[in-house]
Amino acid sequence: METGSVGGGPPDTANETKERSESTVSDGTRPNARKRTVQHKFDHTELYHQVSCESSLGCLEDRYEIFREVGRGQFASVLIAKDKHFEDRFVAIKKISKNGFMMRAATNFMEEAEIMKKLDHPNICRLHETYDSNKTLYIVMEYLEGGEVFERMEEEDGCVDERTCSHIIGQTASAIAFAHKRNISHRDLKPENICFVSRDPDDHTVKVIDWGLAFHLQGAAKMSSSVGTSTYAAPEVLDADEKSVYEKECDLWSLGVVTYVMLSGMPPFSGTHNSQMRKMKWERYDLKRGPWAKISSDAKHFIKGLLKSRPRQRMPIDRVLEHNWLASASFMKAAPPEIGREVFANLKHFRQTSALYSVCAAAVARHLDHSCLEDIHKVFVGLDENKDGVLTIDEIKRGFETFGEVADLGELKETFALLDLDGNGSIDYTEFCAAGIGDFVAQQDHALWAAFKVFDVDDDDGYITREEFEQVINKLDTRQEWNPEVRQEWDHLFAQHGKISFHEWRKMVRSHALGNIPLDECSPFISKADAAEKENVSEDSGRQIYASLHKFHKLQTRGSLLAQDASSCCAGGVMGSVCVVL
C-alpha cells in the first residue's frame, strides 16, 4: 500500500447489520495478499444517498492534474495529483468507481470521509474534500511525502532503532487515544498505515492514514466483522462472526504488534492460521533471541502489556500514553522559545478578533498541512502533557506561564472560551493553529482559497452568497454558528452586492489580520474598474503585505513554518466545491 492509500477494503458502515457484502482479513503479505472472506448483509442504497448529499459536485480535473497511480486496493485506486492553481502543491486522492457492485464500496468510503472529519489531531491524516460525480467518487487528502513506516523499515534492514520506534509509537498511540475518546476504532493499524510527513530522515513526525476500516461505535452499533490484516489483527477480530462482538481494545493489540515488528523486523506470531491463533491465545512470542538482546526492558514491558489475548487485560490507552518507554523518549525537538512566545502573543490577540474572523481563520487553518505548521505543531505537542491530542485550560495556563505571556484567571478563561470554537471544553489542534499562527494565516493564498470554497457550495461560481454562507455556517461544529455578531458582520459584507468574490474575501481576512480593523473602517469591495486593475498591483502588494504581516520572518530557522511561502505547502489547499470538514 502506498502513501495515503486505501487499505485492504472499504470501511464498515455505522451498523454491522448494514455492512458490505464482503469483509476481508488479509494476511499482510505484499504485493498479493491472500484474503479470507466473511459474508454480511448490506443495504447500501439508503445509506449512500444519506452520505453523498454533502459531496462536492464540481469537476476534480478542473482543479487537479493527475500525476500517477501509486496504489490499488480491492475497491479503490490511489492517485497523486498536482493542484493546477498553485505551484508545487500535491494531494493524495482515493478514486472509487460507483458502477454496479462498486456502489457499495463508494458508500463505505463516504463513511470513511465522515469519520475523518471527526479526527482533528496532529498525527492523523487530514481530509480535504470529496468530489462526487455520476460514476466516480474522489476523496482528496493530505499528501504525506515521507512514505510509509513499512517502506522506511525496508530501507533500514527491516527494523527501526528503538528511540525512533518509541517516537513513532508515541505519536500513533496519541492518534488512537484521540479516536477512541470519540468512540472510533481504526481496526487496521500496521506500519503501512503510518506515514512520515517529510522526506527528511531526521524528521520522525508521522500520521495515521487509511481509516477505511474504521468503525464509529454509536448507539447500538457493534463491531462483529473479521477485518484488517491478520498479522496485526487481534485474536477476537480474527475469530469474529455475526454472533460475537469486540471493542476498541483490538487497536491496542495491533499497536503492540506494530511495535514488535518495528523493533525486530519479524511478526510475533507465525505459522498456519490455526497455529498462529494458538500462539496468540497463549501469548507465546519471543523476546529474548536475536535483536531482543539489545532492546530495553521498558520496550519489552510495553509490548507485553498490549499483547494480552483477553482484551480487558490489555494496557488501557491512557496508561499506554503514560508508559515509561514512551515518556523516556523525546517526541521531537522543542520549538524555539521565541516561537512559543510569538504563538502565545497571537493567542492573546485572538481574543480581540471578531467572531467572523475566528470562523474564517479556523477554515483557513484546517487546510494548512504540516509543512506550514511545523513549528506551531511543536508548540502544541509540547503543551499536550498527557498526549491526548487536545489542550486543557491548565495546559494553556502553563503555556502562558512558560512563554511569559502571563494572563490573569479571568483573561485566561475568556481566552480559552474564545479558542474553544466548538465548545467541547478543550482546544483542538485546528483551533490552536487558527489562533496561534496569527498573521501567517492571511498570507496563504491557497488556504484562503480553500476556505473560500468551503462556503461556495451551491453552484461553484466563484462567489459566496448570503444563502450559501448561512447554509455552511449552520453545519459547522462551532459555537459561533450564525450568532448575532457573525450575522451583523456578514450582513455588512453583503450590504452592497449580495455576494462576495474571492478577492473580496481575501481582503476582508487580511484586513482583520493586519490589526483587527473593524469592517466598517475598510471596504472589502471593489468596483469593476478596480477589478480590472487589481491584477496589476496584486503581486507587489502581496509582497508588501507578506513582509509587513509576517512577524515571524526574522525568526526563521531550518524547518520553521515561516520558511514556507504560499507556494511551498504541499497538498494543503482544496479546490472545487468542498465538503465541510471544519
Side-chain angles (χ1 to χ4, degrees):
M1 181 159 39
E2 301 293 333
T3 303
S5 61
V6 64
D12 298 318
T13 64
N15 191 312
E16 291 284 295
T17 62
K18 291 186 178 180
E19 281 198 302
R20 61 182 180 278
S21 59
E22 291 189 344
S23 298
T24 61
V25 176
S26 69
D27 65 0
T29 58
R30 292 164 59 117
N32 298 313
R34 300 184 298 277
K35 293 186 166 91
R36 183 162 59 90
T37 301
V38 185
Q39 297 294 324
H40 294 283
K41 297 179 180 178
F42 185 92
D43 179 10
H44 64 277
T45 306
E46 179 181 356
L47 181 59
Y48 180 76
H49 288 298
Q50 289 174 354
V51 298
S52 65
C53 64
E54 289 190 3
S55 299
S56 306
L57 300 176
C59 180
L60 179 128
E61 287 78 11
D62 290 342
R63 292 309 312 182
Y64 299 109
E65 176 186 357
I66 305 300
F67 268 13
R68 64 184 184 278
E69 180 181 297
V70 295
R72 179 171 291 272
Q74 184 179 358
F75 297 94
S77 59
V78 181
L79 313 169
I80 299 299
K82 182 180 184 298
D83 190 327
K84 293 180 179 180
H85 289 247
F86 298 98
E87 191 74 17
D88 298 328
R89 170 168 291 281
F90 296 89
V91 294
I93 302 175
K94 284 187 180 181
K95 178 182 178 182
I96 307 101
S97 171
K98 297 195 300 183
N99 294 329
F101 170 76
M102 298 301 289
M103 175 80 88
R104 292 176 293 188
T107 302
N108 288 324
F109 280 110
M110 284 304 296
E111 278 290 309
E112 176 184 2
E114 290 298 313
I115 285 175
M116 289 184 72
K117 292 179 193 179
K118 300 176 175 67
L119 299 175
D120 178 18
H121 185 278
N123 298 115
I124 295 178
C125 181
R126 290 183 180 236
L127 168 72
H128 288 323
E129 61 178 322
T130 61
Y131 283 83
D132 191 3
S133 68
N134 290 332
K135 296 182 179 180
T136 309
L137 172 68
Y138 299 95
I139 300 178
V140 183
M141 299 169 295
E142 180 179 14
Y143 172 52
L144 304 175
E145 64 178 27
E148 304 167 359
V149 166
F150 186 92
E151 294 171 341
R152 190 75 62 89
M153 290 169 59
E154 289 182 324
E155 294 171 0
E156 299 180 5
D157 299 324
C159 56
V160 178
D161 70 85
E162 185 174 341
R163 182 175 179 82
T164 300
C165 180
S166 65
H167 184 186
I168 292 170
I169 294 300
Q171 296 172 81
T172 305
S174 178
I176 295 302
F178 184 88
H180 282 191
K181 284 192 175 181
R182 285 145 188 82
N183 289 319
I184 294 171
S185 176
H186 187 280
R187 301 205 298 180
D188 196 22
L189 197 60
K190 54 187 177 181
E192 294 93 325
N193 287 342
I194 306 170
C195 287
F196 292 98
V197 302
S198 170
R199 293 191 182 97
D200 182 352
D202 295 325
D203 185 350
H204 299 143
T205 306
V206 297
K207 294 196 177 190
V208 177
I209 67 166
D210 204 340
W211 295 81
L213 294 176
F215 191 90
H216 192 189
L217 291 156
Q218 52 185 342
K222 300 293 182 182
M223 295 187 289
S224 61
S225 297
S226 186
V227 297
T229 306
S230 61
T231 298
Y232 301 92
E236 67 269 22
V237 176
L238 295 176
D239 267 350
D241 56 40
E242 292 182 351
K243 297 180 181 179
S244 62
V245 297
Y246 54 89
E247 300 294 337
K248 295 174 291 186
E249 287 84 0
C250 64
D251 289 335
L252 299 175
W253 174 279
S254 299
L255 185 66
V257 177
V258 170
T259 307
Y260 188 103
V261 170
M262 287 179 64
L263 289 173
S264 68
M266 297 290 293
F269 311 101
S270 59
T272 64
H273 174 73
N274 290 336
S275 173
Q276 182 177 333
M277 288 298 296
R278 284 195 300 270
K279 293 175 183 177
M280 294 167 75
K281 291 182 177 180
W282 285 98
E283 301 172 13
R284 291 178 177 171
Y285 51 91
D286 180 31
L287 285 177
K288 295 181 179 180
R289 294 175 295 180
W292 295 107
K294 298 181 180 180
I295 301 299
S296 70
S297 58
D298 277 345
K300 295 175 183 177
H301 182 270
F302 182 84
I303 292 170
K304 290 178 180 178
L306 295 174
L307 297 186
K308 298 290 185 182
S309 61
R310 295 183 180 181
R312 298 298 182 187
Q313 292 182 356
R314 291 170 199 157
M315 185 168 31
I317 191 63
D318 55 344
R319 285 178 51 203
V320 168
L321 297 176
E322 296 170 354
H323 196 276
N324 286 340
W325 186 58
L326 300 184
S328 62
S330 175
F331 275 17
M332 63 174 59
K333 295 179 180 178
E338 59 268 26
I339 296 294
R341 287 192 292 270
E342 189 69 28
V343 166
F344 273 84
N346 288 334
L347 295 185
K348 290 184 69 174
H349 174 74
F350 198 73
R351 294 174 55 242
Q352 305 167 18
T353 59
S354 68
L356 176 59
Y357 177 76
S358 66
V359 171
C360 295
V364 173
R366 185 64 182 82
H367 296 99
L368 296 174
D369 75 347
H370 178 78
S371 62
C372 292
L373 299 173
E374 185 172 352
D375 273 355
I376 200 168
H377 174 95
K378 292 178 181 178
V379 175
F380 183 93
V381 171
L383 295 171
D384 185 17
E385 296 174 356
N386 62 356
K387 309 303 177 187
D388 63 352
V390 297
L391 300 180
T392 65
I393 190 168
D394 287 336
E395 288 170 331
I396 290 290
K397 179 176 181 291
R398 283 189 283 275
F400 272 112
E401 293 169 349
T402 299
F403 295 110
E405 292 289 340
V406 180
D408 61 41
L409 184 60
E411 183 181 357
L412 175 66
K413 289 182 177 179
E414 181 183 353
T415 300
F416 189 87
L418 290 171
L419 294 175
D420 183 16
L421 293 175
D422 60 8
N424 66 1
S426 60
I427 307 302
D428 299 327
Y429 184 57
T430 293
E431 292 171 341
F432 184 79
C433 291
I437 205 169
D439 302 337
F440 186 70
V441 143
Q443 306 315 307
Q444 305 306 302
D445 271 359
H446 64 279
L448 289 172
W449 173 256
F452 175 82
K453 298 306 294 181
V454 167
F455 295 94
D456 182 20
V457 292
D458 281 345
D459 46 16
D460 194 23
D461 63 349
Y463 291 91
I464 301 174
T465 65
R466 183 192 306 273
E467 292 74 19
E468 286 175 322
F469 179 79
E470 185 167 0
Q471 173 186 339
V472 172
I473 207 72
N474 285 332
K475 291 182 181 179
L476 301 184
D477 186 17
T478 169
R479 291 182 307 174
Q480 305 285 7
E481 293 177 2
W482 206 236
N483 64 31
E485 185 181 354
V486 174
R487 181 183 291 276
Q488 181 179 5
E489 291 188 82
W490 203 253
D491 284 346
H492 179 85
L493 288 177
F494 285 120
Q496 293 182 354
H497 301 286
K499 61 183 180 179
I500 63 170
S501 68
F502 172 65
H503 179 75
E504 295 162 345
W505 159 274
R506 179 175 59 183
K507 188 170 183 179
M508 181 272 292
V509 174
R510 286 182 171 174
S511 294
H512 277 246
L514 265 168
N516 193 31
I517 302 173
L519 287 177
D520 57 3
E521 293 181 16
C522 64
S523 173
F525 300 105
I526 55 173
S527 65
K528 291 183 179 179
D530 293 333
E533 182 183 346
K534 71 178 181 181
E535 295 300 329
N536 295 328
V537 300
S538 60
E539 184 174 354
D540 289 340
S541 297
R543 282 196 292 264
Q544 293 171 9
I545 292 173
Y546 190 90
S548 63
L549 285 180
H550 207 336
K551 297 178 182 177
F552 285 175
H553 189 72
K554 62 183 179 180
L555 304 176
Q556 287 185 355
T557 58
R558 180 179 180 274
S560 168
L561 66 90
L562 305 171
Q564 308 296 330
D565 62 18
S567 68
S568 64
C569 305
C570 286
V574 296
M575 309 306 166
S577 299
V578 175
C579 190
V580 179
V581 293
L582 287 186

